[in-house]
Amino acid sequence: GADAALWLVLNSCEISPVKITASVPSKDGEAGNELLLAEAIRAKGLSLYHEMPDAARMHVGWGLYTSTLDRPMGIFDSMKQEHLVQKMRETQEKHAAMLTGEQLMPPMSLSVGVELRSQPVREGVQLDSCMTMDVTVRAEDPSRLAVNVHIIDHIRWLLRRSTHFQIWQYLHVTRPPPAGPADRWSAMSEFVAFRRRIQ
C-alpha cells in the first residue's frame, strides 16, 4: 500500500500517583488483593493527523536517521536542535489550521487510570501470587475518529507485517537453523502454510 505519515499532538499530560491504602487480609489470614501501584493520567489536547507523502513534511529523513545511529548525539550531530523544533512548530501550525473534517481525530481530553495489583492464586496446597494490571480509559469530552480507505489499508498492512514477524519468531524456536538451500526452502514453505492457516 501507499506510505503515510501519522502525527500525534499532545498539549499537556499530567501523571499523579494515587494514595494506596493498606491491604485487608482475607478471612483465613492469607494475603488478599493488594494494590501495589495506582496512577492517574490526564491528557489534554490529544489529536491525530493522517497525511499522504505528497502532503506530509518529514522532520527527519530516513537517510539522516540511519546515518547517525552510531553517533553519540544521534541526528543532532548533523542537525541543530533549533532547526528540528522549528519544523515541529511549523507542522503544528499547519495542523491547527486544518478543518475538523480533515483531521483523523480532533483535539480531545481523556483520563487514564492504572492499577497494579498482587492477587493470591492457590494451586492445590501451594499458594502463589500473580500480578494484574487494570487500565481504565475515559474520554472527558466527545470526539470522533475519521477513518478512510487509506487508513484501513495501512492498518491491514501493519497487522499482516506483525503476524509475519510473530510467525518467524515461532519458526526460529521450533526449527534448527537452515544449513542449505533445501532447508531454507523447507522453512519458507512451512511459513507460507502457517500463514494461510492463520489468515
Side-chain angles (χ1 to χ4, degrees):
D3 297 331
L6 179 65
W7 303 90
L8 184 148
V9 179
L10 181 62
N11 290 338
S12 65
C13 181
E14 301 175 357
I15 303 177
S16 57
V18 179
K19 185 177 180 180
I20 301 176
T21 58
S23 61
V24 180
S26 59
K27 295 181 180 179
D28 54 4
E30 298 177 352
N33 190 327
E34 183 179 3
L35 182 61
L36 304 178
L37 174 68
E39 290 186 345
I41 305 172
R42 190 162 187 266
K44 298 180 179 179
L46 174 63
S47 56
L48 299 176
Y49 301 89
H50 179 269
E51 299 176 351
M52 302 305 293
D54 55 351
R57 180 183 180 184
M58 303 304 297
H59 296 163
V60 179
W62 179 252
L64 175 61
Y65 172 75
T66 55
S67 63
T68 56
L69 287 175
D70 298 331
R71 299 186 185 180
M73 297 297 294
I75 62 172
F76 296 115
D77 278 350
S78 302
M79 174 188 290
K80 292 184 178 181
Q81 183 177 2
E82 295 79 7
H83 184 51
L84 178 61
V85 172
Q86 178 63 27
K87 285 186 174 182
M88 297 175 65
R89 184 178 295 111
E90 292 175 356
T91 301
Q92 184 179 9
E93 294 175 354
K94 172 185 176 181
H95 290 163
M98 291 178 63
L99 300 176
T100 303
E102 300 176 354
Q103 301 177 14
L104 176 58
M105 186 182 74
M108 64 172 299
S109 299
L110 55 87
S111 59
V112 181
V114 180
E115 293 185 353
L116 181 64
R117 297 181 180 273
S118 175
Q119 299 182 359
V121 177
R122 178 176 293 279
E123 296 181 359
V125 296
Q126 184 179 0
L127 183 65
D128 202 351
S129 62
C130 68
M131 306 288 289
T132 60
M133 177 176 289
D134 299 331
V135 180
T136 305
V137 181
R138 181 174 63 87
E140 299 183 355
D141 47 10
S143 185
R144 60 122 177 101
L145 188 63
V147 180
N148 55 40
V149 64
H150 299 293
I151 299 176
I152 297 298
D153 289 339
H154 298 147
I155 293 176
R156 184 175 58 181
W157 174 86
L158 180 61
L159 293 177
R160 186 185 301 115
R161 184 180 179 88
S162 177
T163 303
H164 291 177
F165 175 77
Q166 295 172 8
I167 293 176
W168 279 122
Q169 292 295 316
Y170 172 78
L171 293 179
H172 280 312
V173 176
T174 58
R175 293 178 56 94
D183 290 342
R184 287 193 292 269
W185 178 255
S186 176
M188 181 63 68
S189 300
E190 187 173 351
F191 166 78
V192 173
F194 203 170
R195 185 185 64 180
R196 288 175 178 174
R197 290 175 57 188
I198 293 177
Q199 297 180 354

